[in-house]
Amino acid sequence: KGVVKPSKAQLENWYVDNHESSLEIGERVGVTSSTVIQWLRKYEILNVENRQLESLLESYVGGNGKW
């Protein structure tokens, strides 16, 4: 696909420090929010509370950023 996976530090910066959603990060790097969530889980950035919120958000918007 040609997408370069961000480093753990970059994802932490966007997700934790800047409070960007998985949807916003996905748009930034050209992947779906589901892919971003997989990366966040792999790097153990998502905690249980955040994971529940992301799952709810992803279900609500259908993973495409449309309200």
Side-chain angles (χ1 to χ4, degrees):
K1 228 182 189 181
V3 173
V4 177
K5 182 174 158 185
S7 67
K8 180 178 182 178
Q10 186 62 70
L11 282 172
E12 283 180 324
N13 180 2
W14 292 331
Y15 189 76
V16 178
D17 301 334
N18 296 344
H19 307 287
E20 293 183 33
S21 71
S22 60
L23 292 170
E24 292 169 319
I25 296 169
E27 288 174 0
R28 178 190 291 269
V29 298
V31 298
T32 65
S33 62
S34 297
T35 298
V36 174
I37 290 170
Q38 288 174 359
W39 293 342
L40 294 170
R41 288 178 179 158
K42 180 175 180 174
Y43 285 138
E44 298 181 351
I45 296 170
L46 274 179
N47 61 33
V48 172
E49 181 179 311
N50 286 342
R51 188 175 302 147
Q52 290 170 345
L53 290 173
E54 284 291 348
S55 294
L56 179 63
L57 177 62
E58 186 175 319
S59 296
Y60 184 69
V61 300
N64 64 8
K66 306 280 188 231
W67 292 100

